Amino acid sequence: MVNILYFASFREMLGQADEQMPAQHSTVGALISELAQRGDLWKQALLENTNLQIAVNHDVASRETAIKAGDEVAFFPPVTGG
Amino acid sequence: MVNILYFASFREMLGQADEQMPAQHSTVGALISELAQRGDLWKQALLENTNLQIAVNHDVASRETAIKAGDEVAFFPPVTGG
Amino acid sequence: MKNAEEMYPYIKIQQADFDLTVENAKLRTGHKDIGAVVSFVGTVRDINEGDEVAILELEHYPGMTEKALEKIRLEAHDRWSLEASLIIHRIGKMYPADQIVLVAVASRHRENAFHAAHFIMDYLKTNAPFWKKETLPDGDVRWVDSRVSDKEAEARWAV
Amino acid sequence: MKNAEEMYPYIKIQQADFDLTVENAKLRTGHKDIGAVVSFVGTVRDINEGDEVAILELEHYPGMTEKALEKIRLEAHDRWSLEASLIIHRIGKMYPADQIVLVAVASRHRENAFHAAHFIMDYLKTNAPFWKKETLPDGDVRWVDSRVSDKEAEARWAV
């Protein structure tokens, strides 16, 4: 399985903080493609959003980043701390 | 009268913290010339010392700075606070 | 597995407020030859984007936050000669004038401490996973937008 | 005639130690819209010019010191958009790790506070009439020499 986390406006927009998916996608991009099929909201948030930030296992990642079973993938907007 | 102050190594070297002199010198340079006549120690400290710092009435000054009765003239080495 | 406090003793993510004097003393403890300590405290402004702010809420990504902050901290130690540094970032609800973040850096000479503290803050602003949500006095709630100026501030430090 | 405290409320020359938390709170009191506070603390290093230092004694020029520090402080307010600033400098005997000086600057955004605090320290180092005398463990006493690096640090800020 792959652990998926949503933060801040993404969590609120998509209505969930985390979920698990079977580890059947080779990259973050492939995972996003499947999630986007859930509807317009998901497509907008993950596929068409140029502000999308991605982390894999707590490191900054991109759509090209490879993923495997046990990985933690996170989606969130640009950070605004400090 | 002119009030003269000596600080830090100058105070120690010249053996005094302050003194008053008649206001008969038009500039700091003229005052220094008279003080330097007191002996080698004074000549070294005030006339031949390229590190000499001067203040008149709490503002940075130079040998050319004009002085008059009631002024406060201070001699000291480069500052080292902070 | 060790907890975050053991793994990253100089990184703290907490709801509680912090005390500058106490944290400065902790920072310096056990380190010799310190001549300069620069502390940056970020506070909740009462105005943002022209609107009054009533409540600021800080969300973060547990685990990634500590790792990102430690990476920034160590990068600062690589770039400048530093004796010690620490980062504290609060999460949860805060109010105008509250302290949000502390970056404290100790070094022999002031130049390094000033640069390193500034660098850590600029990187934290664009690289550490925190998100601010503000509540206006009328009850409106909005996520704070990231600033272009923060990206530019970070870019200045590129080698 | 007013005393120095009334003339220069944001400048303090004192023998007593200071508390960073207390001074930060005072700095911010009565000022709105502060988002960043940068505090610099200069401390007595236990080593100088390769020698251990046992005692550091600070002498100053009363009257001129306050005037010089206030001039530097106002120059910082001219150059950057600042909400508040203060300078505390201790005099008399101090010991390794003691606090010597505090420069604290509050502004809306961090950039200004960082630059202004750094500027004030660089100018203080070369323009405020303080002199340091150190006593080594064997009892030797010497005046601290001014540093070329401090003159260079000041020169960087020339307009």
Side-chain angles (χ1 to χ4, degrees):
Chain A
M1 300 295 273
V2 170
N3 217 8
I4 309 177
L5 305 179
Y6 306 96
F7 289 101
S9 53
F10 281 67
R11 176 176 42 71
E12 288 187 348
M13 199 164 32
L14 300 174
Q16 62 190 74
D18 59 277
E19 64 177 313
Q20 294 220 319
M21 297 264 290
Q24 62 196 18
H25 310 90
S26 57
T27 63
V28 174
L31 174 64
I32 287 177
S33 297
E34 182 176 335
L35 291 169
Q37 289 172 16
R38 290 178 180 174
D40 280 352
L41 201 62
W42 291 81
K43 215 162 101 180
Q44 260 174 39
L46 301 177
L47 212 52
E48 296 162 358
N49 184 350
T50 54
N51 271 333
L52 173 71
Q53 309 289 309
I54 303 163
V56 172
N57 298 333
H58 297 168
D59 282 321
V60 173
S62 70
R63 285 177 170 76
E64 288 68 45
T65 303
I67 50 175
K68 58 179 194 311
D71 280 353
E72 178 171 302
V73 181
F75 297 113
F76 47 82
V79 305
T80 53
Chain B
M1 300 296 271
V2 169
N3 217 8
I4 310 177
L5 305 178
Y6 306 96
F7 288 101
S9 54
F10 281 67
R11 175 175 44 69
E12 287 187 348
M13 199 166 30
L14 301 174
Q16 60 190 78
D18 59 277
E19 64 176 313
Q20 296 218 317
M21 296 265 290
Q24 60 195 21
H25 310 91
S26 57
T27 64
V28 174
L31 174 64
I32 287 177
S33 296
E34 184 179 333
L35 292 168
Q37 289 172 16
R38 291 178 179 175
D40 280 353
L41 201 63
W42 292 81
K43 213 163 103 182
Q44 261 175 41
L46 302 178
L47 212 53
E48 296 161 0
N49 184 349
T50 54
N51 272 332
L52 173 71
Q53 310 289 309
I54 303 164
V56 172
N57 298 334
H58 298 167
D59 282 321
V60 173
S62 70
R63 284 177 171 78
E64 288 70 45
T65 304
I67 49 174
K68 59 180 193 310
D71 280 353
E72 180 171 301
V73 180
F75 298 112
F76 47 82
V79 305
T80 54
Chain C
M1 188 179 157
K2 289 192 285 184
N3 62 26
E5 206 168 317
E6 285 167 19
M7 287 176 71
Y8 309 115
Y10 297 104
I11 303 290
K12 278 190 276 189
I13 314 294
Q14 59 188 43
Q15 295 210 346
D17 197 9
F18 51 81
D19 182 285
L20 202 49
T21 299
V22 171
E23 298 303 334
N24 258 260
K26 275 191 219 160
L27 173 76
R28 295 170 55 191
T29 300
H31 295 276
K32 292 199 65 148
D33 203 13
I34 286 175
V37 184
V38 172
S39 308
F40 174 89
V41 175
T43 59
V44 182
R45 290 177 60 205
D46 40 13
I47 306 242
N48 192 27
E49 307 282 336
D51 295 313
E52 266 188 64
V53 174
I55 307 172
L56 188 71
E57 197 162 357
L58 256 297
E59 177 175 337
H60 81 303
Y61 180 175
M64 181 173 176
T65 314
E66 290 83 351
K67 192 174 176 181
L69 292 178
E70 181 69 355
K71 197 178 154 192
I72 296 167
R73 205 181 68 82
L74 295 179
E75 171 79 20
H77 281 256
D78 274 353
R79 292 192 182 207
W80 294 280
S81 174
L82 308 177
E83 302 303 316
S85 66
L86 65 79
I87 305 173
I88 300 178
H89 203 300
R90 295 179 64 198
I91 50 170
K93 279 192 183 166
M94 280 158 258
Y95 301 88
D98 278 1
Q99 304 186 116
I100 306 172
V101 59
L102 169 65
V103 170
V105 177
S107 61
R108 288 188 190 190
H109 301 295
R110 67 188 181 284
E111 191 77 8
N112 289 329
F114 270 116
H115 286 315
H118 199 166
F119 167 88
I120 290 173
M121 269 313 298
D122 282 353
Y123 266 59
L124 184 159
K125 281 265 177 188
T126 48
N127 290 288
F130 291 101
W131 301 274
K132 282 176 178 163
K133 187 189 213 173
E134 51 193 22
T135 305
L136 308 188
D138 62 8
D140 266 12
V141 174
R142 64 186 184 194
W143 289 98
V144 173
D145 271 340
S146 63
R147 290 173 188 278
V148 174
S149 62
D150 284 333
K151 264 289 174 202
E152 291 167 352
E154 185 207 354
R156 285 193 307 108
W157 299 99
V159 209
Chain D
M1 190 178 154
K2 289 194 283 186
N3 62 25
E5 206 167 317
E6 286 168 18
M7 286 176 72
Y8 308 116
Y10 297 104
I11 303 291
K12 278 190 275 187
I13 314 295
Q14 60 188 42
Q15 294 210 346
D17 197 9
F18 51 81
D19 183 286
L20 203 48
T21 299
V22 171
E23 297 303 334
N24 258 260
K26 276 192 219 161
L27 173 76
R28 293 170 56 191
T29 300
H31 295 275
K32 292 199 64 146
D33 203 14
I34 287 175
V37 184
V38 172
S39 308
F40 174 89
V41 175
T43 59
V44 183
R45 291 177 58 206
D46 41 13
I47 306 238
N48 192 29
E49 309 281 337
D51 295 313
E52 266 188 63
V53 174
I55 308 172
L56 188 72
E57 198 163 355
L58 255 296
E59 178 177 333
H60 81 304
Y61 180 176
M64 181 172 176
T65 314
E66 290 83 352
K67 192 173 175 180
L69 292 178
E70 181 70 355
K71 196 177 153 194
I72 295 166
R73 205 181 68 81
L74 295 179
E75 171 80 19
H77 280 257
D78 273 352
R79 291 192 183 207
W80 294 279
S81 175
L82 307 177
E83 302 302 316
S85 66
L86 66 79
I87 305 172
I88 300 177
H89 204 298
R90 293 180 65 199
I91 50 171
K93 279 191 183 166
M94 279 159 258
Y95 301 88
D98 278 2
Q99 303 186 116
I100 306 172
V101 59
L102 168 65
V103 170
V105 177
S107 61
R108 288 188 190 190
H109 301 295
R110 67 190 181 283
E111 190 77 7
N112 289 328
F114 271 117
H115 286 316
H118 198 166
F119 167 88
I120 290 173
M121 269 313 298
D122 282 352
Y123 266 59
L124 185 159
K125 280 268 179 186
T126 48
N127 290 287
F130 291 101
W131 299 276
K132 281 177 177 162
K133 188 189 211 173
E134 52 193 23
T135 305
L136 307 189
D138 61 9
D140 267 13
V141 175
R142 64 185 184 194
W143 289 97
V144 174
D145 271 339
S146 63
R147 289 174 189 277
V148 174
S149 62
D150 284 332
K151 264 290 173 201
E152 290 166 353
E154 185 207 353
R156 284 194 305 108
W157 299 99
V159 211

